[in-house]
């Protein structure tokens, strides 16, 4: 199999989570995709091995760096697994703070995704407006945690920082702004012909396929399946905070947009509730450095779906084995299903539709089934096909 | 169509971005920047160096004689060192502009002055 040249996606010079390479081999008949073969692993960083060489405290910061966008989801999942092994529980206030940071992160991740989706369908005005407004949530995350991206809020046995009363009015103000903007964007998305033409009935994933292929997160919920770790296996303070699981029956990319918009609004309400009902008290319990032998599994609903961490301890200060199953991996089989029967020009938005931590068009090879010829396309010629099909040129 | 009205309105507004590096926004209170050591408080226990997840702290010697070398190019600005220090000798500063052409200029040394 010969692969073509690497395709570079010119997307923002320094951003924390963009440009993850991933390979897809498409078999096409004319303009229609008949088969997809994913090949993953281009981004292997040896993180699981690195876990075994660091102490439990040091690993919090390593877990945080698995992903720049869901950094809080990974640390929450990690500290929960270790707390499980140690048999300790975070104090109530810490559990509320974990929910607040997790939901802020969901807002920022979903707005980031909406921007990317807008960009993929060639709607850059919307992309820029969305990303400008996303700064509001980044600013409150920085205000609360001291960093825009790596919040470092979680620690084994609780959280490291409090949400002090002076910051709460600022947080509420930003939430009001974000709510107004999200409602406005929902109106835009529902009425803009550019969006509707490019996303309605594109990348359809039927509910039975979604369940069978083990899709997770908004991808699954956009196929009408009510499934959410926050409700099914509540962690942190999710059992005390009322919220709705947003689903949509469209099963296409447009539904995925609507589900994520709906989740932003839900998250805003959850944060408001959590800020109002946050109990006072301790932030953390002291834990020993040495963890007794055992195994633990922890699950978290990351912005992209269910995240699973597994840890095995041998009674020392370092884990013996660590395993991470991120939501993007779970969505790859479903993604391949969605792509079959679609036009080549719709590949970017369908790939982006699962929010793959931005793993897409790095290397694309097309095989024409009639001639069995392979051709690799660079980004510009790919763009041209996309534009031509949608008559934008 | 709704977005066109919005886009036109923004033609008459201030840009959303700052003209960095000519304009700068100060980081908020509690920002996790570069850690600095107050060697009058440090007892040279070495805990900060052992806890650091990225090996950014080197301890030379022990006790009051200890010298601390901080490699900013390795630092994650997590603040674990300042949290672990039993003597509260480490404080996180507000600065965030550490880029440099040479790694040598990213090493900060701290020593107790008698
Ligand atoms: S802030 Fe974190 S990475 Fe930097 S020196 Fe301290 S412990 Fe090490
Ligand atoms: S932990 Fe604090 S007291 Fe101990 S060596 Fe580091 S700075 Fe000094």
């Amino acid at each position: 199999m010969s692969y073509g040249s690497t395709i570079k996606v010119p997307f923002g010079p320094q951003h924390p989570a963009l440009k993850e390479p991933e390979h897809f081999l498409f078999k096409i008949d004319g303009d229609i995709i008949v088969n997809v073969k994913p090949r993953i692993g281009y981004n292997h960083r040896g993180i699981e091995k690195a876990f075994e060489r660091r102490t439990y405290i040091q690993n919090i910061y390593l877990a945080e760096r698995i992903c720049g966008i869901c950094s809080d989801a990974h640390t929450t999942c990690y500290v929960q697994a270790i707390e499980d092994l140690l048999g300790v529980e975070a104090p109530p206030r810490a559990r509320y703070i974990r929910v607040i940071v997790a939901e802020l992160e969901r807002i920022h991740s979903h707005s980031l995704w909406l921007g990317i989706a807008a960009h993929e369908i060639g709607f850059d005005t919307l992309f820029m407006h969305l990303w400008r407004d996303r700064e509001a949530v980044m600013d409150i995350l920085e205000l609360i945690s001291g960093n825009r991206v790596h919040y470092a809020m979680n620690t084994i046995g609780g959280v490291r920082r409090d949400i002090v009363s002076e910051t709460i009015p600022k947080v509420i103000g930003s939430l009001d702004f974000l709510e107004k903007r999200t409602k406005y964007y929902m109106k835009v998305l529902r009425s803009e012909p550019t969006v509707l033409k490019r996303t309605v009935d594109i990348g359809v994933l039927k509910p039975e396929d979604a369940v069978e292929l083990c899709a997770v997160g908004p991808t699954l919920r956009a196929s009408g399946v009510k499934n959410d770790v926050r409700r099914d296996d509540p962690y942190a303070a999710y059992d005390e905070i009322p919220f709705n699981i947003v689903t949509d029956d469209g099963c296409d990319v447009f539904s995925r947009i609507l589900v994520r918009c709906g989740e932003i609004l839900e998250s805003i309400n959850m944060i408001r509730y959590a800020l109002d009902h946050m109990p006072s008290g301790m932030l953390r319990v002291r834990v020993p450095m040495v963890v007794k032998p055992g195994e633990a599994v922890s699950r978290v609903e990351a912005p992209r779906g269910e995240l699973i961490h597994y840890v095995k301890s041998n009674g020392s200060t370092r884990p013996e084995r660590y395993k991470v199953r991120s939501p993007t991996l779970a969505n790859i089989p479903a993604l391949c299903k969605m792509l079959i029967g679609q036009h080549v020009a719709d590949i970017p938005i369908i790939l982006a539709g699962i929010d793959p931590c931005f793993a897409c068009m790095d290397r694309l090879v097309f095989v024409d089934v009639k001639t069995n010829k392979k051709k690799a396309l660079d980004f510009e010629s790919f763009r041209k096909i996309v534009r031509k099909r949608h008559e934008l040129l | 169509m709704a977005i066109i009205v919005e886009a036109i309105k923004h033609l008459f507004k201030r840009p959303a971005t700052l003209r960095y590096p000519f304009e700068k926004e100060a980081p908020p209170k509690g920002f996790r920047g570069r850690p600095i050591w107050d060697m009058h408080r440090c007892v040279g226990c070495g805990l900060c160096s052992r806890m650091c997840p990225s090996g950014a702290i080197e301890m030379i010697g022990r006790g009051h004689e200890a010298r601390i070398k901080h490699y900013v190019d390795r630092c994650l600005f997590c603040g674990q060192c300042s949290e672990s220090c039993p003597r509260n000798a480490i404080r996180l500063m507000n600065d965030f502009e550490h880029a440099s052409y040479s790694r040598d200029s990213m090493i900060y040394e701290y020593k107790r002055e008698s």
Side-chain angles (χ1 to χ4, degrees):
Chain A
M1 226 188 284
S2 73
Y3 296 118
S5 56
T6 309
I7 298 162
K8 296 233 157 65
V9 186
F11 202 81
Q14 291 191 358
H15 274 285
L18 303 189
K19 284 255 340 136
E20 279 183 308
E22 192 144 359
H23 176 102
F24 290 92
L25 181 70
F26 290 101
K27 265 196 177 168
I28 51 169
D29 182 4
D31 188 32
I32 305 289
I33 302 162
V34 292
N35 203 3
V36 194
K37 242 196 216 161
R39 203 182 131 186
I40 55 174
Y42 286 96
N43 220 1
H44 185 78
R45 291 172 290 172
I47 279 211
E48 289 174 7
K49 196 74 193 162
F51 267 99
E52 296 166 16
R53 303 190 44 186
R54 283 169 175 74
T55 63
Y56 285 101
I57 292 284
Q58 291 173 334
N59 277 335
I60 303 170
Y61 308 103
L62 182 62
E64 189 158 47
R65 278 152 185 86
I66 293 172
C67 174
I69 302 294
C70 1
S71 64
D72 182 73
H74 281 284
T75 49
T76 309
C77 211
Y78 171 77
V79 297
Q80 277 178 189
I82 311 302
E83 282 164 9
D84 194 5
L85 277 180
L86 287 166
V88 297
E89 210 178 293
R93 189 175 176 84
R95 292 194 286 125
Y96 269 77
I97 292 176
R98 279 184 188 172
V99 168
I100 293 168
V101 178
E103 293 309 314
L104 283 171
E105 182 181 75
R106 197 178 313 279
I107 298 174
H108 115 70
S109 172
H110 282 354
S111 346
L112 175 117
W113 178 82
L114 285 167
I116 292 176
H119 176 73
E120 291 303 342
I121 58 175
F123 198 172
D124 277 345
T125 315
L126 182 60
F127 153 65
M128 291 197 188
H129 283 227
L130 275 162
W131 277 37
R132 181 201 58 200
D133 295 338
R134 171 175 164 267
E135 284 305 307
V137 64
M138 303 300 281
D139 283 346
I140 30 183
L141 279 167
E142 189 181 27
L143 189 68
I144 290 175
S145 72
N147 197 301
R148 277 163 58 91
V149 176
H150 291 306
Y151 320 120
M153 284 295 273
N154 292 315
T155 190
I156 302 165
V159 290
R160 296 172 67 202
R161 282 191 189 214
D162 199 3
I163 296 181
V164 286
S165 46
E166 297 102 76
T167 59
I168 292 178
K170 176 117 204 287
V171 176
I172 300 274
S174 296
L175 289 178
D176 293 344
F177 168 76
L178 285 164
E179 185 175 34
K180 210 175 81 208
R181 295 303 296 175
T182 309
K183 286 191 173 148
Y184 163 75
Y185 288 126
M186 278 181 96
K187 209 177 84 200
V188 170
L189 289 161
R190 278 183 209 271
S191 61
E192 218 35 78
T194 324
V195 177
L196 298 177
K197 262 195 168 158
R198 292 296 313 272
T199 58
V200 174
D201 289 335
I202 300 293
V204 173
L205 181 69
K206 291 200 206 80
E208 54 274 18
D209 290 335
V211 173
E212 190 176 322
L213 297 169
C214 302
V216 293
T219 311
L220 178 61
R221 292 193 283 275
S223 291
V225 183
K226 254 197 164 129
N227 177 301
D228 194 316
V229 182
R230 294 175 291 172
R231 190 208 53 188
D232 303 339
D233 182 11
Y235 54 95
Y238 282 112
D239 46 351
E240 294 163 28
I241 296 170
F243 68 100
N244 298 320
I245 300 176
V246 185
T247 57
D248 198 275
D249 296 325
C251 308
D252 52 8
V253 176
F254 188 59
S255 307
R256 284 166 214 141
I257 292 179
L258 292 182
V259 164
R260 287 190 175 96
C261 286
E263 286 189 1
I264 294 180
L265 295 177
E266 266 317 302
S267 295
I268 291 173
N269 287 334
M270 288 165 84
I271 299 166
R272 286 198 185 119
Y273 182 92
L275 286 171
D276 272 354
H277 294 77
M278 201 160 47
S280 54
M282 283 195 308
L283 288 181
R284 60 196 287 185
V285 288
R286 288 279 156 198
V287 293
M289 296 280 286
V290 176
V291 175
K292 49 182 183 282
E295 288 174 286
V297 172
S298 143
R299 300 201 293 163
V300 158
E301 183 74 21
R304 285 159 186 77
E306 182 190 35
L307 168 71
I308 303 173
H309 281 209
Y310 162 85
V311 59
K312 180 163 186 251
S313 158
N314 56 5
S316 68
T317 55
R318 286 147 214 251
E320 189 183 359
R321 173 79 177 98
Y322 205 81
K323 166 82 194 144
V324 178
R325 204 293 320 265
S326 72
T328 302
L329 184 67
N331 274 335
I332 295 283
L335 171 66
C336 295
K337 181 87 190 173
M338 288 172 209
L339 283 162
I340 292 171
Q342 301 290 321
H343 292 283
V344 170
D346 290 326
I347 293 171
I349 185 62
I350 299 173
L351 281 183
I354 66 158
D355 196 359
C357 258
F358 207 68
C360 65
M361 318 205 296
D362 217 42
R363 296 167 190 82
L364 298 177
V365 176
F366 296 93
V367 179
D368 197 322
V369 282
K370 283 198 194 115
T371 56
N372 208 21
K373 254 209 254 135
K374 286 186 185 133
K375 61 179 177 196
L377 291 180
D378 65 17
F379 185 69
E380 262 318 306
S381 40
F382 192 59
R383 267 262 139 121
K384 267 192 204 135
I385 300 182
V386 175
R387 292 232 180 104
K388 214 152 99 201
R389 176 159 163 80
H390 295 282
E391 290 152 1
L392 292 167
L393 259 184
Chain B
M1 275 306 115
I3 195 116
I4 292 188
V5 180
E6 169 105 358
I8 290 172
K9 266 195 218 155
H10 277 89
L11 283 178
F12 306 103
K13 284 196 184 157
R14 251 176 7 103
T17 46
L18 287 180
R19 286 172 57 245
Y20 184 85
F22 308 108
E23 287 171 56
K24 284 178 196 173
E25 198 173 3
K29 209 170 133 244
F31 178 75
R32 282 182 283 124
R34 177 168 68 89
I36 53 162
W37 274 254
D38 176 357
M39 292 310 276
H40 283 289
R41 287 173 172 230
C42 174
V43 290
C45 65
L47 206 57
C48 52
S49 138
R50 278 209 307 281
M51 294 301 253
C52 175
S54 60
I57 306 167
E58 189 185 349
M59 287 275 305
I60 302 160
R62 276 282 180 274
H64 287 313
E65 304 299 302
R67 272 193 303 141
I68 283 175
K69 260 183 160 179
H70 179 229
Y71 297 84
V72 182
D73 51 342
R74 290 189 204 157
C75 181
L76 313 169
F77 310 107
C78 62
Q80 183 63 46
C81 48
S82 118
E83 195 181 298
S84 299
C85 176
R87 300 295 310 259
N88 265 338
I90 310 172
R91 204 160 51 84
L92 297 180
M93 300 226 299
N94 249 355
D95 59 341
F96 55 91
E97 292 163 311
H98 306 298
S100 164
Y101 284 112
S102 103
R103 301 191 90 165
D104 295 336
S105 64
M106 295 196 212
I107 303 170
Y108 290 81
E109 268 206 70
Y110 301 90
K111 206 175 150 231
R112 193 186 187 114
E113 270 141 42
S114 44

PDB file of all heavy atoms in Angstrom, chain A residues 100-114:
ATOM      1  N   ILE A 100     -18.500  21.977  38.633  1.00  0.00           N
ATOM      2  CA  ILE A 100     -18.475  23.302  38.006  1.00  0.00           C
ATOM      3  C   ILE A 100     -17.379  23.373  36.948  1.00  0.00           C
ATOM      4  O   ILE A 100     -17.612  23.795  35.814  1.00  0.00           O
ATOM      5  CB  ILE A 100     -18.280  24.404  39.079  1.00  0.00           C
ATOM      6  CG1 ILE A 100     -19.521  24.457  39.976  1.00  0.00           C
ATOM      7  CG2 ILE A 100     -18.026  25.759  38.436  1.00  0.00           C
ATOM      8  CD1 ILE A 100     -19.359  25.281  41.210  1.00  0.00           C
ATOM      9  N   VAL A 101     -16.173  22.905  37.311  1.00  0.00           N
ATOM     10  CA  VAL A 101     -15.073  22.968  36.336  1.00  0.00           C
ATOM     11  C   VAL A 101     -15.364  22.052  35.152  1.00  0.00           C
ATOM     12  O   VAL A 101     -15.140  22.419  33.997  1.00  0.00           O
ATOM     13  CB  VAL A 101     -13.721  22.631  37.005  1.00  0.00           C
ATOM     14  CG1 VAL A 101     -12.603  22.656  35.991  1.00  0.00           C
ATOM     15  CG2 VAL A 101     -13.423  23.623  38.113  1.00  0.00           C
ATOM     16  N   ALA A 102     -15.920  20.863  35.433  1.00  0.00           N
ATOM     17  CA  ALA A 102     -16.210  19.933  34.338  1.00  0.00           C
ATOM     18  C   ALA A 102     -17.225  20.531  33.374  1.00  0.00           C
ATOM     19  O   ALA A 102     -17.102  20.385  32.151  1.00  0.00           O
ATOM     20  CB  ALA A 102     -16.718  18.608  34.889  1.00  0.00           C
ATOM     21  N   GLU A 103     -18.223  21.207  33.909  1.00  0.00           N
ATOM     22  CA  GLU A 103     -19.251  21.764  33.021  1.00  0.00           C
ATOM     23  C   GLU A 103     -18.727  22.983  32.271  1.00  0.00           C
ATOM     24  O   GLU A 103     -19.070  23.196  31.108  1.00  0.00           O
ATOM     25  CB  GLU A 103     -20.523  22.091  33.796  1.00  0.00           C
ATOM     26  CG  GLU A 103     -21.249  20.861  34.342  1.00  0.00           C
ATOM     27  CD  GLU A 103     -21.495  19.782  33.288  1.00  0.00           C
ATOM     28  OE1 GLU A 103     -21.942  20.107  32.181  1.00  0.00           O
ATOM     29  OE2 GLU A 103     -21.211  18.600  33.581  1.00  0.00           O
ATOM     30  N   LEU A 104     -17.882  23.778  32.929  1.00  0.00           N
ATOM     31  CA  LEU A 104     -17.257  24.894  32.197  1.00  0.00           C
ATOM     32  C   LEU A 104     -16.429  24.350  31.046  1.00  0.00           C
ATOM     33  O   LEU A 104     -16.431  24.887  29.940  1.00  0.00           O
ATOM     34  CB  LEU A 104     -16.371  25.716  33.139  1.00  0.00           C
ATOM     35  CG  LEU A 104     -17.080  26.666  34.090  1.00  0.00           C
ATOM     36  CD1 LEU A 104     -16.094  27.237  35.095  1.00  0.00           C
ATOM     37  CD2 LEU A 104     -17.776  27.787  33.349  1.00  0.00           C
ATOM     38  N   GLU A 105     -15.750  23.246  31.339  1.00  0.00           N
ATOM     39  CA  GLU A 105     -14.935  22.636  30.295  1.00  0.00           C
ATOM     40  C   GLU A 105     -15.816  22.130  29.141  1.00  0.00           C
ATOM     41  O   GLU A 105     -15.458  22.252  27.982  1.00  0.00           O
ATOM     42  CB  GLU A 105     -14.146  21.482  30.890  1.00  0.00           C
ATOM     43  CG  GLU A 105     -13.245  20.842  29.879  1.00  0.00           C
ATOM     44  CD  GLU A 105     -12.477  19.682  30.464  1.00  0.00           C
ATOM     45  OE1 GLU A 105     -13.065  18.611  30.671  1.00  0.00           O
ATOM     46  OE2 GLU A 105     -11.302  19.860  30.730  1.00  0.00           O
ATOM     47  N   ARG A 106     -16.974  21.585  29.494  1.00  0.00           N
ATOM     48  CA  ARG A 106     -17.874  21.102  28.444  1.00  0.00           C
ATOM     49  C   ARG A 106     -18.322  22.270  27.561  1.00  0.00           C
ATOM     50  O   ARG A 106     -18.366  22.152  26.337  1.00  0.00           O
ATOM     51  CB  ARG A 106     -19.096  20.419  29.086  1.00  0.00           C
ATOM     52  CG  ARG A 106     -19.882  19.530  28.130  1.00  0.00           C
ATOM     53  CD  ARG A 106     -21.045  18.846  28.839  1.00  0.00           C
ATOM     54  NE  ARG A 106     -20.657  18.242  30.096  1.00  0.00           N
ATOM     55  CZ  ARG A 106     -20.067  17.060  30.219  1.00  0.00           C
ATOM     56  NH1 ARG A 106     -19.850  16.341  29.154  1.00  0.00           N
ATOM     57  NH2 ARG A 106     -19.724  16.593  31.402  1.00  0.00           N
ATOM     58  N   ILE A 107     -18.629  23.408  28.198  1.00  0.00           N
ATOM     59  CA  ILE A 107     -19.053  24.573  27.413  1.00  0.00           C
ATOM     60  C   ILE A 107     -17.937  24.978  26.451  1.00  0.00           C
ATOM     61  O   ILE A 107     -18.155  25.198  25.263  1.00  0.00           O
ATOM     62  CB  ILE A 107     -19.406  25.758  28.336  1.00  0.00           C
ATOM     63  CG1 ILE A 107     -20.583  25.402  29.242  1.00  0.00           C
ATOM     64  CG2 ILE A 107     -19.711  27.003  27.519  1.00  0.00           C
ATOM     65  CD1 ILE A 107     -20.892  26.454  30.270  1.00  0.00           C
ATOM     66  N   HIS A 108     -16.711  25.026  26.996  1.00  0.00           N
ATOM     67  CA  HIS A 108     -15.618  25.499  26.140  1.00  0.00           C
ATOM     68  C   HIS A 108     -15.331  24.481  25.030  1.00  0.00           C
ATOM     69  O   HIS A 108     -15.109  24.857  23.886  1.00  0.00           O
ATOM     70  CB  HIS A 108     -14.397  25.845  27.003  1.00  0.00           C
ATOM     71  CG  HIS A 108     -13.187  25.009  26.799  1.00  0.00           C
ATOM     72  ND1 HIS A 108     -12.442  25.075  25.653  1.00  0.00           N
ATOM     73  CD2 HIS A 108     -12.590  24.099  27.576  1.00  0.00           C
ATOM     74  CE1 HIS A 108     -11.437  24.235  25.761  1.00  0.00           C
ATOM     75  NE2 HIS A 108     -11.510  23.618  26.906  1.00  0.00           N
ATOM     76  N   SER A 109     -15.418  23.197  25.355  1.00  0.00           N
ATOM     77  CA  SER A 109     -15.138  22.179  24.348  1.00  0.00           C
ATOM     78  C   SER A 109     -16.207  22.180  23.262  1.00  0.00           C
ATOM     79  O   SER A 109     -15.896  22.080  22.069  1.00  0.00           O
ATOM     80  CB  SER A 109     -15.077  20.816  25.033  1.00  0.00           C
ATOM     81  OG  SER A 109     -14.985  19.803  24.084  1.00  0.00           O
ATOM     82  N   HIS A 110     -17.464  22.284  23.661  1.00  0.00           N
ATOM     83  CA  HIS A 110     -18.533  22.276  22.663  1.00  0.00           C
ATOM     84  C   HIS A 110     -18.489  23.538  21.802  1.00  0.00           C
ATOM     85  O   HIS A 110     -18.742  23.473  20.601  1.00  0.00           O
ATOM     86  CB  HIS A 110     -19.905  22.146  23.339  1.00  0.00           C
ATOM     87  CG  HIS A 110     -20.222  20.739  23.788  1.00  0.00           C
ATOM     88  ND1 HIS A 110     -19.404  19.675  23.501  1.00  0.00           N
ATOM     89  CD2 HIS A 110     -21.258  20.239  24.493  1.00  0.00           C
ATOM     90  CE1 HIS A 110     -19.932  18.570  24.015  1.00  0.00           C
ATOM     91  NE2 HIS A 110     -21.057  18.887  24.635  1.00  0.00           N
ATOM     92  N   SER A 111     -18.151  24.695  22.397  1.00  0.00           N
ATOM     93  CA  SER A 111     -18.079  25.894  21.542  1.00  0.00           C
ATOM     94  C   SER A 111     -16.916  25.779  20.579  1.00  0.00           C
ATOM     95  O   SER A 111     -17.005  26.223  19.437  1.00  0.00           O
ATOM     96  CB  SER A 111     -17.953  27.204  22.312  1.00  0.00           C
ATOM     97  OG  SER A 111     -18.223  27.075  23.638  1.00  0.00           O
ATOM     98  N   LEU A 112     -15.833  25.188  21.068  1.00  0.00           N
ATOM     99  CA  LEU A 112     -14.694  24.950  20.178  1.00  0.00           C
ATOM    100  C   LEU A 112     -15.121  24.074  19.010  1.00  0.00           C
ATOM    101  O   LEU A 112     -14.841  24.364  17.854  1.00  0.00           O
ATOM    102  CB  LEU A 112     -13.574  24.272  20.968  1.00  0.00           C
ATOM    103  CG  LEU A 112     -12.356  23.839  20.171  1.00  0.00           C
ATOM    104  CD1 LEU A 112     -11.140  24.602  20.667  1.00  0.00           C
ATOM    105  CD2 LEU A 112     -12.080  22.369  20.290  1.00  0.00           C
ATOM    106  N   TRP A 113     -15.864  23.016  19.329  1.00  0.00           N
ATOM    107  CA  TRP A 113     -16.301  22.100  18.274  1.00  0.00           C
ATOM    108  C   TRP A 113     -17.242  22.794  17.295  1.00  0.00           C
ATOM    109  O   TRP A 113     -17.131  22.619  16.079  1.00  0.00           O
ATOM    110  CB  TRP A 113     -16.989  20.865  18.870  1.00  0.00           C
ATOM    111  CG  TRP A 113     -17.465  19.987  17.766  1.00  0.00           C
ATOM    112  CD1 TRP A 113     -16.716  19.092  17.078  1.00  0.00           C
ATOM    113  CD2 TRP A 113     -18.760  19.970  17.164  1.00  0.00           C
ATOM    114  NE1 TRP A 113     -17.470  18.517  16.085  1.00  0.00           N
ATOM    115  CE2 TRP A 113     -18.718  19.036  16.120  1.00  0.00           C
ATOM    116  CE3 TRP A 113     -19.945  20.668  17.414  1.00  0.00           C
ATOM    117  CZ2 TRP A 113     -19.830  18.772  15.323  1.00  0.00           C
ATOM    118  CZ3 TRP A 113     -21.051  20.407  16.622  1.00  0.00           C
ATOM    119  CH2 TRP A 113     -20.983  19.461  15.590  1.00  0.00           C
ATOM    120  N   LEU A 114     -18.176  23.592  17.829  1.00  0.00           N
ATOM    121  CA  LEU A 114     -19.115  24.280  16.929  1.00  0.00           C
ATOM    122  C   LEU A 114     -18.344  25.158  15.959  1.00  0.00           C
ATOM    123  O   LEU A 114     -18.682  25.241  14.769  1.00  0.00           O
ATOM    124  CB  LEU A 114     -20.093  25.131  17.746  1.00  0.00           C
ATOM    125  CG  LEU A 114     -21.183  24.358  18.482  1.00  0.00           C
ATOM    126  CD1 LEU A 114     -21.876  25.254  19.487  1.00  0.00           C
ATOM    127  CD2 LEU A 114     -22.204  23.803  17.490  1.00  0.00           C
TER     128      LEU A 114
END
